[in-house]
Amino acid sequence: MQKKHPFISKLALYALGCVVILTGPACTLSLFDFGLSGSGEEIPITNPSDNLTNSPTPIPSAKTTFTVHIPVPLNEGDILALSILDEVTGLPFNTINYPLQAIDALTYTVDLPLPLNAVIKYRYIIPGVTRSQETTSANLPVRYRLYKVVGIGSVQDTVTSWTGQTFSGSTGKIQGLAIDSLSGLPIPNLLIGAGGTQTLTDSAGRFYLDGILPGLHLLSAYSLDGTYQPFQQGAQVDADLITPVQIHVAPAQMVNITFIANPPKNTVTGAPIRLAGNLLQLGNTFGDLNGGFNAIADRMPTLSTMADGRYSITLQLPIGTDLRYKYTLGDGFWNAEQKNSGELILRRLVVPETDLIIEDNIETWQTGPSSPIVFDLNVPANTPAGDLVYIQFFPYAWTEPIPMWTMGNNRWTYKLYGPLDVLNSFSYRYCRNAQCGSADDLATMGNATTGRQITTSLAPQDIRDSITGWAWLEEDAPYTLVAAPIQPRSTEFIAGIEFQSNYSPSWMNFTSQAMQNVSALNANWVVLTPSWTFTRTQPLVFNAQPGQDPLWDDTSGMMSQAHALNLNIALFPTPNFPAPADDWWISAPRDFGWWNEWFDHYHQFALHYADLAARNNAETLILGGEWLAPAMQNGILANGEPSGVPADAELRWNAILADLRGHFGGKIWWALPFTPGSLPSSPQFVKSADGVYLLWNAPLSQENPADKNAMIAEAVRLLDEEISPYQVAVEKEIILGLAAPSATGVESACILDPLGTCLDWTSLSRPNADIPSVNLNLQAQTDVYESMLTAINGRSWIDGFISRGYYPPVMLKDKSASVYGKPAADLLWYWYPRLLGLAQ
């Protein structure tokens, strides 16, 4: 029988919604308070500035009155609280909760002394055993509301609904434009919030907030990196109407701030100390990540060691920024600094108008009686050079992985100081390049694993682990490249790699290496696939979701990395869906009004990436894709029914393409799925594009095992009999895009799922869970590539070949379409320079 651990039970309960008894005017509750006592006893009054350490002088405060209207009266014994959040540690942790007083059954209020110039992130909760959090009209949790303290003030809020309730009622919409008050230019990537909803501005500074209750709301604008000053104003929303808003946001000037940290004496010599903060450049992703975290260690700047043992870093930061920060040997939660008394530390600095040097003393990395735990790890000799090893902890769920410290000779270590005072037993596992769940230790692979178990102790522990092998990195039989007579093209031929569209903020530490790997394959093009996410169908909500979709700066950074290696760039924006795309289309309303809204949103999506491509000197923008079939003229759903797309769909697509020309001067390709017999019904507006990115999904063989010569012959037949006539008809560049998973069945273009139906190739992409019924087959993938490359050899009317589905953060010999580290990559390494005329 497995032993139960009471502290873990409490911790899990906290993560899901801990028991909070608010008997005093204010209650400060953190993960650490709960783990130590968990008694629910009264906690003394807390000023919101008390836990903001750093100030050499007292922080002036101003009284702010919060008044909130709730949808239904509280149950007897329930208490309504305003919860001030800490996005550096993680939104579920280190909250400061203030009970509100009733004015009447539906109206509550509280007066709080808040630090001047602070930007407060907060939301409303009903604490207790059945803890509830406010939700939006789409029944999604309110992430937080924003309020900047500029003096004595008042805030009027309305709660839409609570966890577990289904909202039904009238709502309105805010449609606005964010403009730089000095230059007059639009501001992209600005966080806009009102009524508990949030969105990001697009490339034109536009924003849409749907599903807002009628009434007066505080509209806030917040710069993720602080380069614009916070903005707020009232916005009146009426039922079933759109409130137009134009806001002018002032840019912030930059100054140099030097942070000097004195570490505790027991800090491991040479251990990297990072600066975790509430800005994008200090690790905050503004997304909801594993375990309730919001910040990632890899995205936090690392301090340098000084000769006297102190650590320092100088950062350019925007004047006036309300900076919240802490020092850490991990992230904002694991191994973050604490006070000797056990309290969390969250330092605060309002960035001044002149350069500043700040010296901070780190009191301790640990509190409580439990001793630190050292994890000493030996990894296999086949661990790829350049890979980083991570450790991931499971106190109540898998949290974000933490980079270990290299010792050389395949040895890695990590010393865990805290928060051990709230743990009894917990789990951990190892992975490569932060891709836990995909690039795991063989002994703990997959997200269903319980990991390795450990119990805290009063005595120091030195855990020595050895990894016998990495998942999806087993040695495979050597692949023999067979020399082939390759007819060279010019260097204008497109030899490319397309990144997969699944994205995680953890990628960004590894995309530079991925670009170098692409360049090493002798590719001359890289296709990036940034995304927006559909989060709601009625009303339609389609925008970038931090943590799920790469932000403006993320994609711009990847484009800079590609340009540094002289790679040509194509942007192929792709949506994320809350369900499989076919199911999403079927469940959508698809009436005439909905389709108008859908085309408006897609148009905005396309223009956003056209502007991003133009500002970063991309060569090509790619639109279209497999998912768009229902939106084509006479569109058909996956179940065979008409999609109801408007009769003028062709005209709408032509108008979108024409508008894009005014934003982007490079080439525009249309991504067109290809199956045998599909081209005669392809849309006519493709003639308005500059090229056709033909997404190959045609069977080459139904035999098992397949005969390679027969596969080549079938590829040649399809090229000559179907694709060549189409190229003549449209008179456009033809670029073939191949997504070939390394799985049995890829030759037939039908990899079967357990129900016997054909899988979408993206279902095998990472970080999706492995499908055990699908058999790994690296040779099958290589044979398909060799067949296709042989077939296009000598066909000069084929203008390019692109390998799709590349997984940038890590090498995996898995079942996905990614060729990274697989024999198919060796094949491309041989073919690409010869097709480009760079080798013989």
Side-chain angles (χ1 to χ4, degrees), residues 581-593:
D582 290 344
D583 297 341
W584 185 88
W585 280 113
I586 291 171
S587 66
R590 290 180 286 103
D591 55 28
F592 186 75

Side-chain angles (χ1 to χ4, degrees), residues 261-275 301-306 309-312 327-330 335 362 365 374 402-407 413-417:
N262 292 295
K265 291 182 180 180
N266 67 340
T267 304
V268 174
T269 303
I273 295 180
R274 292 181 167 86
L275 191 66
T302 302
L303 283 71
S304 300
T305 307
M306 301 173 69
R310 295 179 299 167
Y311 288 71
S312 71
Y327 299 98
T328 178
L329 292 172
N335 270 0
I362 301 172
W365 303 115
V374 174
I402 304 291
M404 299 185 73
W405 309 327
T406 181
M407 306 298 288
T413 190
Y414 190 72
K415 187 173 185 178
L416 180 62
Y417 294 90

Side-chain angles (χ1 to χ4, degrees), residues 387-664:
D387 272 13
L388 303 179
V389 178
Y390 285 66
I391 189 167
Q392 186 181 33
F393 299 113
F394 189 116
Y396 51 87
W398 288 117
T399 58
E400 285 297 315
I402 304 291
M404 299 185 73
W405 309 327
T406 181
M407 306 298 288
N409 297 321
N410 296 318
R411 185 171 162 236
W412 296 76
T413 190
Y414 190 72
K415 187 173 185 178
L416 180 62
Y417 294 90
L420 299 179
D421 51 329
V422 297
L423 300 176
N424 182 5
S425 293
F426 61 99
S427 302
Y428 68 97
R429 65 173 172 179
Y430 303 107
C431 64
R432 296 185 294 119
N433 289 5
Q435 304 310 300
C436 293
S438 297
D440 303 311
D441 168 15
L442 270 177
T444 57
M445 64 184 292
N447 283 323
T449 181
T450 57
R452 302 168 187 253
Q453 306 298 311
I454 190 170
T455 301
T456 58
S457 171
L458 300 179
Q461 298 184 72
D462 190 346
I463 308 300
R464 298 182 182 274
D465 289 324
S466 291
I467 293 177
T468 58
W470 293 109
W472 309 115
L473 204 60
E474 296 90 339
E475 296 293 336
D476 52 278
Y479 176 74
T480 303
L481 281 170
V482 178
I486 300 172
Q487 297 187 26
R489 314 292 184 86
S490 72
T491 53
E492 298 300 313
F493 183 80
I494 295 164
I497 299 292
E498 178 191 314
F499 283 10
Q500 71 165 58
S501 59
N502 286 344
Y503 168 83
S504 165
S506 66
W507 279 23
M508 298 309 297
N509 198 41
F510 308 102
T511 52
S512 178
Q513 179 64 45
M515 294 296 179
Q516 294 176 47
N517 293 334
V518 169
S519 179
L521 291 177
N522 297 292
N524 60 356
W525 280 72
V526 63
V527 180
L528 303 180
T529 54
S531 58
W532 280 9
T533 296
F534 284 105
T535 55
R536 191 173 182 180
T537 55
Q538 186 66 29
L540 190 67
V541 177
F542 182 40
N543 53 25
Q545 294 292 312
Q548 287 181 243
D549 304 310
L551 300 177
W552 179 279
D553 291 343
D554 295 334
T555 303
S556 296
M558 285 190 271
M559 297 172 79
S560 295
Q561 292 166 352
H563 277 311
L565 294 167
N566 296 315
L567 291 168
N568 297 295
I569 300 170
L571 280 191
F572 185 9
T574 307
N576 285 323
F577 293 91
D582 290 344
D583 297 341
W584 185 88
W585 280 113
I586 291 171
S587 66
R590 290 180 286 103
D591 55 28
F592 186 75
W594 185 90
W595 274 112
N596 286 338
E597 192 175 16
W598 186 91
F599 273 101
D600 286 345
H601 280 74
Y602 185 90
H603 194 171
Q604 178 192 4
F605 170 65
L607 288 175
H608 175 83
Y609 283 108
D611 289 339
L612 182 60
R615 294 186 201 184
N616 290 277
N617 300 312
E619 283 71 22
T620 297
L621 177 69
I622 308 175
L623 299 181
E626 297 98 334
W627 69 281
L628 268 177
M632 296 296 101
Q633 191 79 38
N634 304 314
I636 300 295
L637 300 173
N639 60 9
E641 297 179 0
S643 67
V645 68
D648 62 347
E650 191 83 20
L651 292 175
R652 296 183 187 223
W653 285 113
N654 271 316
I656 290 173
L657 289 173
D659 194 18
L660 292 178
R661 299 290 187 187
H663 290 252
F664 177 64

Side-chain angles (χ1 to χ4, degrees), residues 86-160:
D86 169 6
E87 202 169 15
V88 183
T89 308
L91 293 181
F93 316 118
N94 196 35
T95 59
I96 305 176
N97 300 322
Y98 289 88
L100 289 88
Q101 292 78 44
I103 296 176
D104 56 46
L106 297 179
T107 310
Y108 288 75
T109 189
V110 66
D111 292 335
L112 298 180
L114 298 174
L116 278 174
N117 298 311
V119 177
I120 304 299
K121 298 175 180 178
Y122 70 99
R123 60 191 173 202
Y124 295 98
I125 63 171
I126 303 174
V129 175
T130 57
R131 173 187 169 105
S132 294
Q133 176 182 315
E134 61 171 323
T135 57
T136 67
S137 59
N139 304 311
L140 298 173
V142 169
R143 195 161 190 272
Y144 51 69
R145 300 168 182 264
L146 287 163
Y147 175 68
K148 181 175 181 181
V149 183
V150 293
I152 296 173
S154 62
V155 179
Q156 295 276 341
D157 290 322
T158 302
V159 171
T160 304

Side-chain angles (χ1 to χ4, degrees), residues 4 34 148 204 216-217 370 394 459 537 539 570 655 676 754 761 769:
K4 294 184 178 179
F34 186 77
K148 181 175 181 181
L216 182 64
H217 297 273
S370 296
F394 189 116
T537 55
W761 68 271

Side-chain angles (χ1 to χ4, degrees), residues 755-784:
L755 299 178
T757 57
C758 297
L759 285 167
D760 186 296
W761 68 271
T762 60
S763 63
L764 296 171
S765 298
R766 296 295 169 182
N768 295 332
D770 180 50
I771 302 175
S773 64
V774 174
N775 293 320
L776 176 68
N777 195 330
L778 297 171
Q779 186 63 51
Q781 179 189 50
T782 308
D783 288 347
V784 168

